[in-house]
Amino acid sequence: MINSKLNAKQRRALIRIVAGILLVLCASFLVPESNLKIAIYLIAYLIAGYPILIKAIRHLFHGKLFDENFLMTVATVGAILIRQFPEAVMVILLYEIGEFFQDKAIESSQASVTDLLDKRPSETLRIRNGHEEKILSEKVKVGDLLVIKPGDQVPVDGRIIDGEADVDTAVLTGESVPRHLQINDQLLSGMIVQDGVLKVKVTHAYNDSTVAKILDLVENAANRKTKTENFITKFSRVYTPVVVFSALLLAIVPPLILHTEFRPWISRALIFLVISCPCALVISVPLSYFSGIGAASKIGALIKGSNYLEALTKVDGAIFDKTGTLTKGKFTVTQVHAVTGFSEE
């Protein structure tokens, strides 16, 4: 059941993680000390860590030397060189597990936004050669003539060329009172026709419609960074090289001054590299904001970006101007009071 909810990238990551864990357990508890044990650890390392190694090499050629992939690669390869095989594999596995859950959290947030807004029908009716035909909404082209019937949700933006109807615009505006639209009025995707049949000439294709633009705006909210996120990004660019050079000094200077072996100090330098990796810092801040945007969308609140989410922390009060923002605007009978001569039935 879990596997069916994963995309191809996540399935591959999960397979790598599970395979790596199984190989580590096998090498640790079932295989005696031997070259076979070392080989199993190395295979586990390559299976779990090859995406990180590839990224580190690719970034190296693109001038992005000091990032978390570089730190992870240096630290784990160094651990292998000093024959700390389990530690090397576990560092990679823990990082991959963190990345896996990060991807799932982002996907969940995006799905929440999509579920909130994108209720457009997958099919719609197009008029062609005087006849109605069903067509996938995403294949509708600008200039096509569509028929929108009562109860239908508008799949794309268009202009009414025939008919009039009351239209529910709550998905886009939050307004509970229907709008009455007629010939030459603009009909936007996401609206629901309540009565009347409309003939609409398409003005924007499926992926360029109003709902699509709103979805893109919210789903790419991570691009609008807060001051905190920008600071963390700049900080990591300075922090990472400092950590690398500090590790080099730790590996070289103490043995030269104290006239001791290099091996224990190299080991300490590698440990320093691993624990100093800013992965958690760099990942957690934007992930927290994005998860917040996703959580807000689940309760019907759309936030355009993390910078706006941060701005909400400074809000002392809010003014709402219409029904449909805090209330649904749909009335129901909650209690009946019978007058003299009548029963509640």
Side-chain angles (χ1 to χ4, degrees), residues 7-293:
N7 58 39
K9 177 186 174 184
Q10 291 166 348
R11 282 196 294 270
R12 289 194 297 269
L14 185 60
I15 290 171
R16 288 199 310 271
I17 291 169
V18 172
I21 291 173
L22 291 176
L23 287 171
V24 168
L25 292 175
C26 177
S28 300
F29 299 105
L30 300 179
V31 180
E33 294 295 334
S34 62
N35 289 333
L36 176 60
K37 187 168 190 168
I38 295 173
I40 293 175
Y41 278 130
L42 291 177
I43 292 171
Y45 175 79
L46 291 174
I47 290 175
Y50 81 86
I52 296 173
L53 299 175
I54 292 173
K55 285 180 185 177
I57 295 171
R58 187 184 297 129
H59 290 178
L60 180 64
F61 285 105
H62 286 84
K64 299 178 182 178
L65 179 60
F66 297 109
D67 63 1
E68 67 270 18
N69 297 295
F70 174 78
L71 279 183
M72 298 293 292
T73 301
V74 171
T76 54
V77 169
I80 289 173
L81 292 176
I82 61 173
R83 303 183 70 82
Q84 298 296 322
F85 302 107
E87 287 79 359
V89 180
M90 288 308 299
V91 167
I92 288 290
L93 281 174
L94 290 173
Y95 180 78
E96 282 288 326
I97 291 171
E99 288 283 294
F100 175 79
F101 283 110
Q102 177 195 357
D103 287 344
K104 285 297 294 177
I106 291 175
E107 183 184 67
S108 176
S109 296
Q110 290 176 332
S112 298
V113 175
T114 302
D115 289 342
L116 174 65
L117 276 177
D118 199 3
K119 305 295 184 183
R120 294 172 294 178
S122 58
E123 294 182 332
T124 188
L125 289 176
R126 180 175 67 180
I127 300 176
R128 194 167 193 177
N129 299 324
H131 300 284
E132 294 181 4
E133 62 176 8
K134 278 191 176 182
I135 182 176
L136 293 175
S137 298
E138 59 188 25
K139 291 188 176 181
V140 171
K141 298 178 181 178
V142 174
D144 283 349
L145 295 180
L146 305 182
V147 176
I148 312 295
K149 297 182 178 181
D152 288 350
Q153 188 162 31
V154 182
V156 294
D157 297 353
R159 181 173 55 83
I160 299 173
I161 61 171
D162 187 32
E164 57 182 281
D166 289 331
V167 177
D168 182 356
T169 64
V171 170
L172 300 178
T173 66
E175 182 60 65
S176 62
V177 179
R179 287 177 56 192
H180 187 76
L181 300 181
Q182 52 193 359
I183 294 176
N184 289 327
D185 284 340
Q186 189 75 13
L187 196 66
L188 302 179
S189 59
M191 294 180 175
I192 300 174
V193 176
Q194 294 188 333
D195 57 15
V197 177
L198 301 176
K199 287 185 180 179
V200 179
K201 186 173 184 179
V202 177
T203 56
H204 293 85
Y206 189 81
N207 292 326
D208 195 34
S209 62
T210 300
V211 168
K213 290 177 180 178
I214 296 174
L215 284 171
D216 181 69
L217 184 70
V218 180
E219 288 179 353
N220 292 303
N223 295 329
R224 291 173 289 279
K225 296 183 180 294
T226 65
K227 291 181 179 179
T228 305
E229 289 178 286
N230 288 326
F231 169 76
I232 291 298
T233 302
K234 293 177 182 177
F235 172 75
S236 65
R237 291 173 185 168
V238 177
Y239 174 82
T240 305
V242 169
V243 167
V244 172
F245 289 119
S246 298
L248 284 174
L249 292 175
L250 182 61
I252 297 172
V253 175
L256 294 177
I257 295 176
L258 302 175
H259 303 289
T260 58
E261 292 185 3
F262 278 91
R263 183 185 176 88
W265 289 102
I266 291 175
S267 178
R268 289 169 185 148
L270 293 171
I271 293 171
F272 175 75
L273 272 178
V274 174
I275 64 175
S276 301
C277 184
C279 305
L281 190 64
V282 174
I283 291 172
S284 62
V285 174
L287 181 58
S288 298
Y289 281 109
F290 201 88
S291 296
I293 292 171

